[in-house]
Amino acid sequence: MLLEMMGTRRLIYAGCLSDLRQREGSKQMATSNPARAQTAGSTQGAPPECKWFSFHHSPNIEAEVMNSDPTVIKVINGEKLWAMTSKTCVEFYMTEPSSETNDGKINFAYFGKGSDTVVDKSGIYLTAVQISLDVDADRDGVVEKNNPHKASWTWGPDGQGAVLLVNCDKDSLLSRKVDADDNLLLSKTDLLDMSKMVLRVHGPEKLPTGYHLMVYVTPTDAQSIGVFHLHNKVYTHVLGRQKLFYRARYTGTRELEFFVEGLRFPDVDFNGLVSIKASLLENQAEGIPETPIFTDVVTFRISPLVLTPNTLDPIEVFVCSVKENYLFLKLIKTLVEESECKMQVCFEYVNRGDRWMQDEMEFGYIHAPHQCFPVVLDSPRDGGLKEFPLRQLLGPDFGYVTKLAMSEKVSSLDSFGNLEVSPPVTVGDKSYPLGRILIGSSFPTTSGRRMIKVIRDFLSAQRVQSPIELYTDWLLVGHVDEFMTFVPAPDRKGFRLLLASPGICFRILAEKKHEGHGDVTMFQGLKTERWTITKVLSTDAVVRENHYAQHCIDWNRDILKRELGLTEDDIIDIPALFRMQDGRATAFFPNMVNMIVLKKNLGIPKPYGPVIKVTCCLEDYVIDQLKPLELTCTFIDDVVSYHKQLGEVHCGTNVRRKPFAFKWWQMAEP
């Protein structure tokens, strides 16, 4: 009889005493689950004259008699006899795994009414096998033994349950796609991206005939995970996709190592939870299906893609080289060097004239206790940069993911200048330690442009950065970075929200006119229409259009205050003006909120505002507002290379940043 042992729990064999009426020396194979069970006596199965019984067992077995009157116990020749009724039960279990097959034994003797004659005997041999499927359920980077919480998954600092990474990088130069897209292990370094799983077995050298171990997954979970196992010095793909089960080799006391990879991120149709089971199976007879006699379960949650806000330290800046931006690149390079980070230039033979690095991709990362690496989220826009993330970034410990538009029509709102992330915030009693995603959309009562559903669903499914939809369809390009950004701050919440403000710009210009500078022009040194301060303030179309723009920004201001828990003291207004084009707004002069943030260094579009004495009054205002935050402002000329193309500094650059120090699995359940 085969018993399974799990951890330190004791195992009990359950069966009728009458079923055990076999002659001494016979062997019966059976099993039990690791729970208390009872062996019931039955006078129907025993000889009619049997009213008493006794039993003996080997030292590695413990037994207990239940539902037998202890006041009528007899002792004959030093042997204890128990009265047997139809409700009498004997529980017995092995206290440790077997060192060899059938090393546990229990014998029963049945006595007649007079209790002085043995009427019948039965005996049973027992074999105990300890099985435990183990993972890093306590999230300390080490696979512990038999964690009691390994079958479930909970959030929070005291949460339990293992973490799995989507194997979306490419560790081998021999591969042309992400590691998760095939069933091959082309590089051992790929194992570092996987979560370790151990099948621990403790028992005799061989299992009795008719028993074997199996590791398996459901057909649904098989589409989300892959499992590799070292066999004959080769890592073999044993589970995942079309492989639903693997018959594990049993060779006595040992540990079988498995490595588990995630195949896809959480999404609208997938909550990120997957389970793997290991069972000890019994084959009773040919033609009869195998039955599990014990099953152990482990559960993983696949890491979400975590996106990064401006306030995290930069690692690497990405920018395109195009015909008109040599001086722009030179200024960005200086800013990057001052910020002590790296810079990668994408040249024209790669970018094919597409300069909008921000629109093409968004940087984030995935994180498990044993591994963390960056991941680029590729947008569905099909510009000249469409091959850059896949061909230039995907590599060892640098992941890639994209979402295809399928039947949806892609618009400008699907570019990732329309995707930003707030710093960590607390709203009421709700904490967002990884910030919140911000995307632009249409006005709630209209049928205007909106980011496609497949991206919105994907971002929401990550759960850890609950997205907020803002109103951006009033803008011609329609991106959130056209009217807002975040900068670090040494006080309060650790950041400030900068919002474009036509109202502040009008106020500054009105003050300068009142001071006698109404004839000072904007755009000095540029070949463009002559605009004096007085002309700007007195042109009805400019005033009317910017009142509209201010209303749209104020609508978003209220949403941001409510959804991010901000007050007016957390917001700084940055002067801006807009002009209408084809019914939507574009920047009248280079839009200063569309900046690059590198620690305390800001690369701000040079506004070419009115120069009063020797400095631009708009630049002076921004410097004065940001100086208390210890931020350094560098104004970058982007008029020809970006502004006239309906973009600015932020649109033309992108930044990979350090991950949050906070671990996503320590969040309260989102």
Side-chain angles (χ1 to χ4, degrees), residues 423-437:
V425 293
T426 299
V427 185
D429 58 356
K430 179 70 173 178
S431 177
Y432 299 93
L434 302 175
R436 299 188 68 179
I437 290 170

Side-chain angles (χ1 to χ4, degrees), residues 37 103 238 278 301 416 451 461 474 480 489 495 503 536 580 634 637 648:
D103 64 356
V238 296
R301 178 177 287 278
F416 287 163
M451 182 175 282
W474 62 279
V480 292
F495 69 90
V536 171
M580 300 300 291
T634 299
D637 183 353
E648 310 288 0

Side-chain angles (χ1 to χ4, degrees), residues 46-47 121 124 156 364 410 422 467 478 531 580 653:
K121 291 183 178 180
I124 188 168
V410 174
S422 82
W531 285 90
M580 300 300 291
T653 58

Side-chain angles (χ1 to χ4, degrees), residues 131-133 199 213-216 276-280 294-298:
I131 299 172
S132 179
L133 189 62
L199 179 60
L213 290 171
M214 183 174 288
V215 184
Y216 57 100
I276 301 177
K277 298 180 180 181
S279 287
L280 181 62
F294 173 76
T295 298
D296 205 10
V297 184
V298 295

Side-chain angles (χ1 to χ4, degrees), residues 377-388:
L377 174 61
D378 193 0
S379 79
R381 71 187 287 267
D382 285 330
L385 280 165
K386 65 179 181 178
E387 300 295 332
F388 177 78

